[in-house]
Amino acid sequence: MNDVTDPRPTGTDFIRQIVATHVREGRYGGRVVTRFPPEPNGYLHIGHAKSICLNFGVAEEFGGRCHLRFDDTNPETENIEYVRAMQDDLRWLGFDWGEHLYFASDYFERMYECAVTLIRKGLAYVDSSSEEEIREARGTVTEPGRPTAYRDRPVEENLDLFARMRAGEFPDGAHVLRGKIDLSATNMIMRDPVFYRIRHAHHYRQGDDWCLYPLYDYAHCLEDAFEGITHSLCTLEFENNREIYDWILDNVGFAEPRPHQYEFNRLALDYTVLSKRKLIRLVRDGHVAGWDDPRMPTIAGLRRRGVPPEAIRLLAELVGVAKSNSRVDPGKLDFAIREVLNHEAPRVLAVIDPLKVVLTNWEAGRVEELTAPYWPHDVPREGTRPVPFSGELWIERDDFSDDPPKGFRRLAEGGAVRLRHAYVIRCDQVVRDADGTIIELRCSVDEGTRGGGGGARKGLGTIHWVSVPHAVDAEVRLYDRLFVVADPDDVPEGGDFEVHLNRESLPTPSVAKVEPSVLTDDPSTRYQFERKGYFWRDPVDGLGERLVFNRIVQLKDTWRRQAEGDRAAPPAPAPAGAAESPRSESEDRPRTSTERKAARVADPDLAARMQRYSDELGLTPEDADVLTGSRTWSDFFEAALRVHSDAPAVASWMVNDLRGVLEGRELSELPFQGKALGRLTRMVSDGEVSRRAAKEVLERMAHTGGDPAQLVDELGLGRVADRDELGGVADRVLARWSAKVAEYHDGKTGLLGLFVGEIMKETGGAADPVLARAVLLERLGTRGR
RNA sequence: UGGCCCGUCGUCUAAUGGCAGGACACCGGUCUUUGGAACCGGCGGUGGUGGUUCGAAUCCACCCGGGCCAACCA
């Protein structure tokens, strides 16, 4: 009996599912080309890292490639320093774009030619209005825009003006090139967007060759098309921009398969800001020491702090890719860092807040060299270093307590503790100064306790230490989070995110005592200071004579926790006169109740039908509403009704099922008509097919059209309602899923759905589900195990 | 206020009409010369209301909540 064990698929994100589908269907001849398109006007941050991992990751997984393209279309904010720094960070993160390094500014000539094409087609015009006039004429979300005085300029004039704009005949702002699209579009972006503006500015790469610069919406899609990008991945705030992306590529004349844009959620991390604007302010206002300040969420900052690139890639994997606006707990980054470093970092002893211990029974001047392994028993790596032990030691101040709380496993007066890699000591006496501050502990060592043989000492705590005469002084920087609230952007109106800055994020310098072995190590070593956290030498301030360690992340500390309590067809250019109100996307398929209501107000016949549908035909008000939102829908419904008069049933099929198979098409684009739906619903009512089988037929009809009865035959979906036949199927299913049957009998009755589903699959959807269910219940009920 | 997008454990994310699963966090335990790691166990979720269906997180309607859009930024 082949029992089935959970063959449930493991999920991949929606972007990869789309790409996988395209590859499988050969959409781009199997090619996958993505791109990472930063604007060189700041530093890359961890939010970019997610996008980088997605773009390069998808390309690699599907055997494609990912381009690095600097989107340098704005001469006023971009410069070469940022270009260099970004490439540096990208390489450090572990990504390679090979020979595919591009600059948007290198495409200026081709973009210009595309604009000329649009002007010739009457799809773009030179507007000589002022910036304010254009803004004002654009309207608002509730009011349509109005044409400016230049919207109907003749093509020849536009061509001439545009050429002179390029030639530098006009000052900044004198003219602008706009798409001639739709001033009453509900999508504000489609209200004649500006494509080009005049800027007499020096471009860091193109010099003074241009004084005409393209804007994002115009430029980006063309850059993608020029490079043969297949999947243009960007963040959710560009969803509204997809319509212009498609408009431009279609109208310039890029035929399918051309690039398409897909949007995913950007990374937002709690307790930081991840917007270039705000990051720039932190730097400019001096709240941080620079782009690479270890507290910064920039790649440069994380890198300087000591975070390994693998950890950032792991974080990207952990947070996933979806479309919900989400905020990630920084604890997830901490976890990723520890996860990587646990298997990488050698352990070393360092005391951060030292307290002296004098061993009273250790011979003066005696030094013992201990051999200590770099990694704990559970990390499969080898290596040791010598650690000197003497009669004077530094231990951590909080490893001693005057008044030990319950469960305290460290040192207390009269108590014992194990020194890591060394001996057990007992505290005999506490030495205080005049203020009562503890300045020294006098302890005795138990020389018999060295090494692993501390049988009698179980239950004892272990603390870290450093020999006083051998200790190396080092500055340790214990950075704290930059902001004091989870969402620094959440400020009252008129407020500023900087009010949430953590004034104590910069550590007060402290001198730590570190074991001497670190002096001979590679200065880029990332250590774990046992019991304290992961550290490495600051690559800017701490590589010379001076030892400066940055704390990368703390260790988990359950004791402290406990102790402290606890996502088009080109529309014809709109007429010069503006409409009364913003025009809806589709007259054919009104989506909202507001649109449907408006349709009925405009068409009294529809209103009358609404009335009749609910009063005479017995439809629910909701169904009547949906079916009278447009003539198309209503006519379709009435056509179906002439074939099959069960109005509520036909209505239900239209409202609940037909919409699902449209896949973005209009009703008029379906390869079948109302009559066909009427025939299908009649077959269901007559019991010739199960409802479920009918849904499959409907889906087929939506793709290829065809006669329902014929399709039922072809697909073998004639209803199976034979009790014996279903019984046989049920037996096979239950046998195959014996483990689940056992769970069912243990009370997991939700599994009945699984069994019914299996019978439906086995019969290709032809079984009568009601009967199947009954047959199953019979068997499950009488054959309890 | 109009359009578009999104609502699943505290957080991030699967389930594509058929078993609500994973990760982080949290709690408990085992082990431990790191109060680390590892291992075992636990807690905890489909925004609401109706509808369609044998069966709804998933499809439909309405409501609620959140995000984006009225730059000559990207």
Side-chain angles (χ1 to χ4, degrees):
Chain A
M1 201 164 295
N2 47 344
D3 191 21
V4 182
T5 55
D6 277 291
R8 275 181 285 183
T10 132
T12 50
D13 61 75
F14 79 101
I15 298 271
R16 278 174 242 254
Q17 287 181 29
I18 290 168
V19 175
T21 301
H22 291 169
V23 168
R24 196 181 332 113
E25 294 175 349
R27 176 85 55 110
Y28 295 93
R31 285 184 319 124
V32 173
V33 186
T34 58
R35 99 270 98 107
F36 175 65
E39 182 191 13
N41 69 343
Y43 275 66
L44 257 24
H45 55 67
I46 195 165
H48 293 113
K50 170 171 171 170
S51 175
I52 292 163
C53 291
L54 212 211
N55 278 292
F56 281 92
V58 165
E60 194 189 345
E61 288 158 38
F62 292 93
R65 61 174 197 260
C66 179
H67 296 184
L68 169 59
R69 176 172 72 228
F70 288 96
D71 201 4
D72 53 358
T73 56
N74 186 351
E76 289 165 323
T77 58
E78 299 152 3
N79 74 57
I80 195 76
E81 181 209 334
Y82 294 130
V83 171
R84 289 211 191 92
M86 285 179 168
Q87 294 193 62
D88 221 49
D89 287 344
L90 248 359
R91 272 194 276 263
W92 176 79
L93 266 176
F95 296 101
D96 180 18
W97 49 92
E99 63 202 11
H100 298 285
L101 171 65
Y102 304 98
F103 293 84
S105 60
D106 289 347
Y107 305 137
F108 282 172
E109 189 64 45
R110 293 176 72 181
M111 289 180 184
Y112 179 85
E113 288 160 11
C114 293
V116 170
T117 301
L118 289 175
I119 295 172
R120 289 218 166 92
K121 288 171 114 169
L123 294 173
Y125 62 101
V126 172
D127 196 330
S128 311
S129 311
S130 71
E131 196 172 338
E132 291 87 307
E133 287 168 335
I134 291 177
R135 182 165 45 235
E136 203 262 328
R138 187 141 33 216
T140 66
V141 290
T142 50
E143 301 159 53
R146 307 179 307 274
T148 58
Y150 308 94
R151 195 170 198 257
D152 291 316
R153 269 220 257 240
V155 167
E156 287 311 318
E157 188 181 336
N158 284 321
L159 249 16
D160 174 63
L161 248 13
F162 190 52
R164 291 165 56 198
M165 284 164 69
R166 174 182 182 171
E169 289 186 26
F170 310 110
D172 288 5
H175 310 280
V176 96
L177 184 75
R178 298 178 72 185
K180 194 171 183 177
I181 307 181
D182 182 358
L183 286 167
S184 58
T186 48
N187 181 354
M188 297 295 297
I189 289 171
M190 297 303 278
R191 320 245 268 225
D192 288 14
V194 174
F195 291 167
Y196 272 98
R197 61 189 170 141
I198 299 172
R199 278 290 175 281
H200 291 271
H202 186 83
H203 187 277
Y204 79 96
R205 190 174 167 82
Q206 305 301 329
D208 299 309
D209 289 358
W210 292 85
C211 61
L212 192 59
Y213 290 94
L215 264 17
Y216 175 84
D217 282 321
Y218 175 74
H220 204 90
C221 51
L222 290 175
E223 293 160 23
D224 286 342
F226 294 158
E227 290 177 20
I229 299 299
T230 56
H231 302 265
S232 183
L233 313 180
C234 65
T235 48
L236 291 177
E237 66 269 27
F238 291 96
E239 279 174 323
N240 293 322
N241 304 62
R242 189 173 58 231
E243 196 174 354
I244 189 66
Y245 187 102
D246 291 332
W247 187 92
I248 290 171
L249 291 189
D250 289 339
N251 287 293
V252 165
F254 285 95
E256 296 284 3
R258 59 158 172 82
H260 284 272
Q261 175 184 303
Y262 306 89
E263 312 85 16
F264 65 92
N265 58 352
R266 65 155 77 233
L267 173 67
L269 257 190
D270 275 345
Y271 299 100
T272 15
V273 289
L274 289 181
S275 93
K276 249 189 275 189
R277 214 193 86 236
K278 295 194 180 89
L279 259 13
I280 286 172
R281 274 195 52 199
L282 291 177
V283 173
R284 272 211 305 258
D285 298 353
H287 296 300
V288 293
W291 288 103
D292 69 341
D293 186 298
R295 294 165 294 171
M296 288 281 273
T298 48
I299 304 300
L302 264 3
R303 175 182 181 175
R304 178 167 170 190
R305 175 148 60 104
V307 174
E310 295 85 355
I312 295 176
R313 288 192 246 118
L314 177 58
L315 176 71
E317 199 180 301
L318 290 173
V319 303
V321 177
K323 296 190 77 161
S324 66
N325 297 102
S326 55
R327 300 191 61 86
V328 173
D329 182 332
K332 215 146 196 158
L333 174 61
D334 291 348
F335 166 80
I337 298 170
R338 289 186 199 115
E339 183 77 358
V340 170
L341 257 18
N342 180 39
H343 293 272
E344 297 293 321
R347 272 60 167 178
V348 116
L349 302 177
V351 173
I352 291 173
D353 183 13
L355 170 66
K356 191 185 266 184
V357 165
V358 175
L359 300 179
T360 53
N361 60 340
W362 188 265
E363 184 191 333
R366 178 183 162 201
V367 174
E368 186 177 348
E369 197 164 272
L370 305 171
T371 299
Y374 272 124
W375 284 279
H377 61 94
D378 52 356
V379 175
R381 297 184 75 139
E382 283 177 27
T384 60
R385 83 288 184 183
V387 181
F389 184 90
S390 72
E392 288 197 349
L393 310 172
W394 296 115
I395 68 164
E396 208 70 58
R397 196 162 273 278
D398 10 309
D399 282 339
F400 175 82
S401 175
D402 274 49
D403 176 23
K406 199 176 164 215
F408 192 72
R409 291 203 272 134
R410 309 176 188 182
L411 200 55
E413 190 163 7
V417 77
R418 161 144 245 136
L419 295 178
R420 176 115 241 228
H421 306 302
Y423 304 94
V424 173
I425 58 169
R426 172 171 304 279
C427 176
D428 304 314
Q429 191 189 347
V430 180
V431 181
R432 298 170 195 267
D433 65 10
D435 305 328
T437 310
I438 300 167
I439 54 171
E440 188 180 297
L441 264 21
R442 302 189 69 84
C443 305
S444 48
V445 58
D446 179 347
E447 293 205 47
T449 55
R450 211 188 117 179
R457 303 283 186 159
K458 273 209 182 106
L460 217 54
T462 301
I463 65 172
H464 57 284
W465 55 276
V466 176
S467 165
V468 171
H470 305 93
V472 179
D473 284 358
E475 177 185 339
V476 293
R477 298 177 173 173
L478 309 179
Y479 294 101
D480 200 355
R481 51 175 58 140
L482 259 180
F483 292 90
V484 114
V485 296
D487 184 2
D489 293 326
D490 187 20
V491 286
E493 233 188 271
D496 191 290
F497 75 100
E498 288 185 356
V499 305
H500 297 306
L501 276 162
N502 176 8
R503 306 287 156 189
E504 286 157 23
S505 61
L506 195 63
T508 51
S510 70
V511 179
K513 304 292 182 182
V514 188
E515 66 164 81
S517 71
V518 300
L519 289 174
T520 55
D521 289 328
D522 184 315
S524 67
T525 305
R526 279 183 269 247
Y527 299 99
Q528 182 193 102
F529 288 174
E530 294 211 35
R531 303 209 308 136
K532 297 309 291 183
Y534 293 95
F535 291 75
W536 88 331
R537 289 175 73 175
D538 185 276
V540 176
D541 299 333
L543 289 190
E545 288 291 291
R546 224 151 76 92
L547 276 179
V548 179
F549 286 93
N550 292 337
R551 181 170 66 192
I552 307 169
V553 68
Q554 299 184 30
L555 249 36
K556 252 174 84 169
D557 186 349
T558 55
W559 164 251
R560 191 187 40 176
R561 221 168 33 221
Q562 202 179 59
E564 287 169 1
D566 314 23
R567 177 168 152 165
E580 292 280 75
S581 66
R583 208 177 43 74
S584 101
E585 204 51 46
S586 162
E587 318 273 344
D588 190 15
R589 181 166 55 126
R591 300 181 60 109
T592 66
S593 61
T594 320
E595 287 174 13
R596 292 192 294 267
K597 205 169 285 171
R600 285 190 298 268
V601 167
D603 184 347
D605 277 1
L606 279 177
R609 287 182 188 186
M610 163 108 167
Q611 205 54 184
R612 181 164 57 91
Y613 290 176
S614 48
D615 294 353
E616 294 171 29
L617 301 181
L619 302 197
T620 62
E622 288 83 9
D623 285 0
D625 172 28
V626 171
L627 294 178
T628 55
S630 75
R631 286 301 274 244
T632 324
W633 275 78
S634 182
D635 290 348
F636 195 99
F637 174 59
E638 305 217 345
L641 228 42
R642 282 191 286 275
V643 178
H644 181 55
S645 61
D646 184 347
V650 175
S652 167
W653 274 87
M654 281 192 65
V655 171
N656 294 304
D657 302 291
L658 190 56
R659 297 187 132 206
V661 299
L662 284 175
E663 291 171 330
R665 292 172 294 183
E666 304 297 352
L667 203 51
S668 51
E669 296 174 277
L670 280 178
F672 66 90
Q673 293 170 343
K675 291 180 289 194
L677 183 71
R679 288 198 294 272
L680 182 65
T681 52
R682 193 179 54 203
M683 288 175 74
V684 177
S685 298
D686 293 349
E688 289 171 40
V689 272
S690 70
R691 204 191 133 90
R692 178 184 162 116
K695 285 186 78 166
E696 269 180 56
V697 173
L698 183 67
E699 206 149 322
R700 177 62 82 91
M701 285 165 63
H703 281 104
T704 59
D707 175 72
Q710 211 172 325
L711 282 168
V712 167
D713 262 11
E714 278 172 29
L715 297 168
L717 289 172
R719 181 161 159 264
V720 178
D722 180 273
R723 204 171 187 96
D724 294 335
E725 193 179 339
L726 279 183
V729 178
D731 286 335
R732 285 200 298 279
V733 167
L734 293 177
R736 201 165 51 226
W737 292 87
S738 61
K740 295 290 184 185
V741 171
E743 283 179 45
Y744 176 89
H745 285 117
D746 284 344
K748 202 172 172 185
T749 52
L751 284 165
L752 185 59
L754 171 68
F755 303 141
V756 174
E758 288 299 309
I759 291 182
M760 297 309 293
K761 260 188 238 166
E762 194 128 330
T763 57
D768 176 353
V770 185
L771 186 60
R773 188 186 193 93
V775 166
L776 275 167
L777 280 169
E778 221 173 79
R779 280 164 171 70
L780 288 163
T782 55
R783 276 205 253 149
R785 237 169 277 192

